[in-house]
């Protein structure tokens, strides 16, 4: 666990140093470019790709045009009642054609029902025998991304309906196998592929993006991929079935440096209705122990149906080096926690 | 003597007018066709042709302040001519009368080797000029939509 975390951070630090080093070295001068018009590269998504808050766009991140290279770093903090997530990442855009990205994220759960189980397991000394650190509630994840612009120009082809279209791939590695399994997912590592189409409609001062993502992710992969139905033996029926899911971003520019908008990201429902799965332990035993103690958890250890993600955002870019995004998130049910609405704050630094 | 000179001038003027009438293609640029159209109030939103002229003057002012592009205009441009021609062109693409007398966008910029970065620098100057002239951001975007299709021929690098 610890090692994974340190590794992730180290990779991030290396990348940051690399980007910073490139930005300051003189050899960079010929390639460096920040000629894009303000906000037209999008901001920093939780996947590291350029786009809105959650939805990757077809635009290539950074302010470079086809004449050069530009890099950026982003930090995002999400605060929901049952969990907090922070994302640190970097991305580099090459000639407005190719984008490479890396994000290190950390999700901390604070679920009272899980903590009750932990408490009880500790109390009855089952904690050790299930072979799981029942207090372990952090889900670290690394996301590696690449995006290639296929055709089109989101900004200047105002006399044609053809949007800018890009294809992207993400590889996500969740570092907490135990907790991912506890939450009933099948895999901790998986890839996602997406196709995004973006167009700015100047007479409406509005950017429209539609993305189709081929994925099996639960909560964007933050709680794993696919499902393992808990049969109480830790084996059971496991599937990692990828499907195409839809995502939409609409950003209305109220000024050249300020956008407001909303997003919708369709989610699957891999783990809904399943009980959390503590290392194959049949939770009926625990629920029984708990009811013996007079604590009726009832269905509260049953995971709720995963909700689609919705958000409303405002992005402000005072200049080409920094932008701030605040958003209100409506994430529906996450694992055993219902109705997760909360706030999102993101900073995007562009070199 | 004097009389013949005048009549010669009139004759020359008349043939030029006739030529212009039969060959309007000399005014080498046509209105662009943005997919969502340009609102009929666009010219008025800029403050009429005078407003457009003021905007173009501000545009050149901001262009000349920008070291990424001003040297190109100093070397190859002619501010007075370009301000006059741009006023005509912008009036036309915003839905006003087509009095444009300059060269086509491809002919005017073909040899300049203009990059996307330089084009975007002019767009930034355009937004600054709108702000300076109190032209609303949304109206400014109508003009950007109307000029955007010229990117294809202006940006050659
Ligand atoms: C949509 C954007 C643009 C429009 C509407 C536009 C419009 C014009 C017009 C109307 C002329 C006069 C043509 C003539 O003399 O007959 C002109 C010339 C010129 N433009 Fe542009 N232009 C644009 C972008 C640019 C850019 C990005 C640059 C350079 C960075 C540039 C540099 C010049 C120069 C140097 C000339 C003078 C060329 C000559 O007289 O030989 N223009 N432009």
């Amino acid at each position: 666990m610890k090692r994974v975390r340190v590794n992730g951070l180290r990779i991030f630090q290396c990348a940051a140093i690399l980007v910073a080093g490139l930005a300051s070295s003189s050899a960079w001068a010929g390639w460096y470019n920040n000629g894009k018009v303000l906000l037209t590269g999008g901001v920093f998504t939780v996947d590291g790709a350029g786009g809105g808050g959650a939805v990757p766009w077809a635009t290539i991140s950074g302010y470079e045009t086809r004449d050069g290279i530009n890099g950026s770093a982003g930090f995002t903090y999400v605060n929901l009642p049952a969990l907090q997530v922070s994302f640190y990442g970097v991305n580099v855009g090459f000639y407005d054609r190719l984008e490479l990205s890396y994000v290190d994220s950390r999700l901390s759960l604070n679920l009272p029902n899980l903590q009750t189980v932990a408490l009880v397991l500790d109390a009855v000394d089952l904690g050790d025998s299930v072979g799981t650190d029942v207090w372990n509630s952090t889900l670290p994840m690394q996301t590696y991304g690449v995006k290639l612009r296929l055709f089109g120009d989101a900004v200047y082809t105002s006399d044609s309906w053809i949007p800018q279209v890009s294809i992207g791939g993400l590889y996500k590695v969740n570092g907490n196998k135990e907790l991912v399994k506890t939450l009933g997912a099948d895999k901790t590592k998986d890839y996602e592929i997406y196709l995004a189409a973006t167009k700015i409609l100047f007479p409406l001062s509005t950017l429209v993006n539609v993305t189709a993502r081929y994925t099996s992710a639960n909560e964007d992969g933050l709680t794993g991929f696919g499902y393992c139905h808990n049969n109480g033996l830790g084996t059971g029926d496991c599937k990692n079935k990828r499907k195409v899911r839809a995502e939409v971003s609409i950003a209305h520019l109220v000024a050249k440096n300020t956008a407001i908008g909303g997003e919708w990201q369709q989610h699957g429902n891999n783990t809904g209705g399943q009980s959390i799965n503590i290392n194959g332990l049949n939770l009926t035993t625990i629920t029984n122990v708990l009811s013996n103690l007079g604590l009726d958890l009832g269905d509260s250890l049953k995971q709720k149906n995963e909700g689609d993600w919705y958000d409303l955002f405002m992005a402000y870019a005072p200049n080409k080096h920094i932008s701030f995004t605040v958003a209100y998130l409506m994430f529906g049910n996450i694992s055993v926690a219902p109705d997760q609405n909360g706030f999102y704050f993101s900073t995007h630094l562009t070199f | 003597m004097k009389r013949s000179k005048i009549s010669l001038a009139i004759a020359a003027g008349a043939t030029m007018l006739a030529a212009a009438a039969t060959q309007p293609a000399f005014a080498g640029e046509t209105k662009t066709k943005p997919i969502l159209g340009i609102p009929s109030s666009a010219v008025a939103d800029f403050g009429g042709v005078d407003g457009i002229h003021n905007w173009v003057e501000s545009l050149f002012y901001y262009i000349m302040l920008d070291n990424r592009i001003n040297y190109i205009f100093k070397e190859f441009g002619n501010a007075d001519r370009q301000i006059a021609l741009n006023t005509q062109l912008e009036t036309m693409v915003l839905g006003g009368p087509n009095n444009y007398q300059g060269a086509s966008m491809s002919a005017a910029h073909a040899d300049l080797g203009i990059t996307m970065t330089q084009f975007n620098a002019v767009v930034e100057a355009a937004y600054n000029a709108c702000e300076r002239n109190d032209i609303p951001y949304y109206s400014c975007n109508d003009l950007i939509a109307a000029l955007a299709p010229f990117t294809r021929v202006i940006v050659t690098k």
Side-chain angles (χ1 to χ4, degrees):
Chain A
M1 246 316 290
K2 195 110 200 178
R3 175 170 302 152
V4 173
R5 248 187 231 184
V6 170
N7 263 345
L9 213 63
R10 201 170 281 159
I11 295 172
F12 169 66
Q13 281 164 351
C14 288
I17 289 165
L18 188 77
V19 171
L22 281 174
S24 59
S25 89
S26 55
W28 179 243
W31 318 324
Y32 172 79
N33 185 277
N34 70 344
K36 249 185 218 149
V37 177
L38 213 55
L39 281 176
T40 56
V43 292
F44 198 79
T45 63
V46 293
D47 290 324
V55 180
W57 294 350
T59 53
I60 301 297
S61 193
Y63 277 114
E64 86 292 344
T65 63
R66 60 172 95 150
D67 312 321
I69 298 173
N70 197 225
S72 70
F75 167 70
T76 298
Y77 180 70
V78 168
N79 195 3
L80 300 174
L83 54 97
Q84 287 78 40
V85 203
S86 37
F87 303 84
Y88 299 85
V90 286
N91 60 30
V92 185
F94 299 88
Y95 304 97
D96 205 20
R97 172 64 68 186
L98 178 75
E99 174 192 294
L100 300 177
S101 60
Y102 171 78
V103 170
D104 189 70
S105 61
R106 188 139 311 154
L107 183 153
S108 318
L109 282 169
N110 44 345
L111 293 169
N113 14 20
L114 278 185
Q115 278 157 8
T116 314
V117 172
L119 204 65
V120 172
L121 285 176
D122 258 4
V124 300
D125 230 11
L126 261 170
D128 293 336
S129 64
V130 294
T132 306
D133 173 5
V134 286
W135 290 105
N136 166 5
S137 63
T138 302
L139 289 153
M141 184 168 81
Q142 279 94 46
T143 304
Y144 305 86
V146 55
K147 173 164 46 178
L148 181 71
R149 179 164 69 83
L150 298 176
F151 60 85
D153 174 0
V155 184
Y156 287 127
T157 49
S158 63
D159 53 352
S160 143
W161 284 105
I162 298 172
Q164 176 164 330
V165 176
S166 294
I167 188 166
L170 298 165
Y171 185 65
K172 301 180 171 181
V173 182
N174 203 305
N176 191 341
K177 210 172 193 144
E178 286 166 12
L179 190 49
V180 165
K181 297 280 177 192
T182 299
L183 295 173
D186 175 29
K187 294 181 82 177
T188 50
K189 304 172 190 177
D190 205 14
Y191 67 84
E192 300 183 306
I193 293 175
Y194 63 87
L195 197 67
T198 310
K199 186 135 194 107
I200 296 181
L201 303 168
F202 274 110
L204 300 177
S205 299
T206 299
L207 177 147
V208 178
N209 175 82
V210 178
T211 299
R213 194 192 298 231
Y214 182 65
T215 178
S216 62
N218 307 332
E219 305 298 355
D220 211 36
L222 290 164
T223 58
F225 300 85
Y227 64 82
C228 266
H229 284 309
N230 178 14
N231 62 357
L233 299 169
T235 51
D237 161 29
C238 295
K239 276 223 171 65
N240 187 42
K241 211 171 153 199
R242 297 183 199 90
K243 276 190 186 151
V244 176
R245 299 181 194 161
E247 307 179 17
V248 175
S249 272
I250 293 179
H252 177 68
L253 289 138
V254 291
K256 67 181 181 186
N257 57 11
T258 310
I260 54 172
E263 291 187 308
W264 166 62
Q265 185 177 62
Q266 187 183 16
H267 278 217
N269 186 23
N270 286 326
T271 57
Q274 287 182 63
S275 188
I276 56 164
N277 178 359
I278 297 188
N279 218 21
L281 194 77
N282 194 333
L283 279 177
T284 34
T285 337
I286 299 168
T287 350
N288 284 345
V289 173
L290 291 174
S291 33
N292 286 346
L293 291 168
L295 275 169
D296 192 6
L297 278 180
D299 269 354
S300 71
L301 290 177
K302 224 180 216 169
Q303 306 204 50
K304 311 279 188 293
N305 290 339
E306 181 172 337
D308 290 355
W309 283 6
Y310 295 88
D311 68 68
L312 295 172
F313 66 84
M314 191 192 94
Y316 171 61
N319 58 47
K320 280 191 185 175
H321 295 294
I322 194 163
S323 74
F324 305 99
T325 308
V326 286
Y328 183 67
L329 311 178
M330 289 153 281
F331 279 7
N333 306 322
I334 294 182
S335 184
V336 296
D339 296 329
Q340 295 298 302
N341 298 339
F343 286 94
Y344 165 111
F345 176 79
S346 180
T347 323
H348 190 197
L349 296 165
T350 315
F351 297 107
Chain B
M1 190 55 199
K2 204 173 184 186
R3 207 187 192 127
S4 66
K5 230 183 197 172
I6 291 170
S7 56
L8 201 70
I10 290 171
T15 39
M16 268 171 79
L17 263 175
T22 50
Q23 259 187 319
F26 172 75
E29 209 38 270
T30 46
K31 195 171 177 298
T32 53
K33 296 187 182 67
I35 44 174
L36 294 170
I38 300 294
S40 53
S41 63
V43 173
D45 294 340
F46 267 75
V49 177
D50 285 348
I52 293 173
H53 182 87
N54 290 338
W55 176 84
V56 175
E57 285 204 323
S58 307
L59 172 73
F60 273 79
Y61 168 81
Y62 284 108
I63 285 175
M64 288 313 185
L65 288 177
D66 189 335
N67 291 331
R68 294 172 296 177
I69 46 176
N70 53 12
Y71 65 93
I72 305 172
F73 287 83
K74 276 182 196 150
E75 187 165 352
F76 302 104
N78 172 342
D80 289 341
R81 177 183 160 86
Q82 281 180 268
I83 288 169
L85 288 174
N86 270 288
T87 305
Q88 296 168 353
L89 185 81
E90 270 80 285
T91 304
M92 168 188 47
V93 295
L94 285 176
N98 183 354
N99 293 327
Y100 182 63
Q101 293 174 323
S104 72
M105 287 300 100
S106 60
H109 303 93
D111 302 329
L112 298 171
I114 293 170
T115 65
M116 202 63 194
T117 308
Q118 289 163 345
F119 188 90
N120 287 342
V122 171
V123 170
E124 285 174 27
Y127 281 118
N128 287 333
C130 280
E131 275 170 25
R132 192 69 187 82
N133 287 272
D134 273 339
I135 293 161
Y137 175 68
Y138 295 109
S139 307
C140 206
N141 277 341
D142 291 333
L143 181 59
I144 301 293
L147 291 176
F150 291 134
T151 326
R152 284 190 205 99
V153 290
I154 292 176
V155 179
T156 51
K157 239 182 163 174

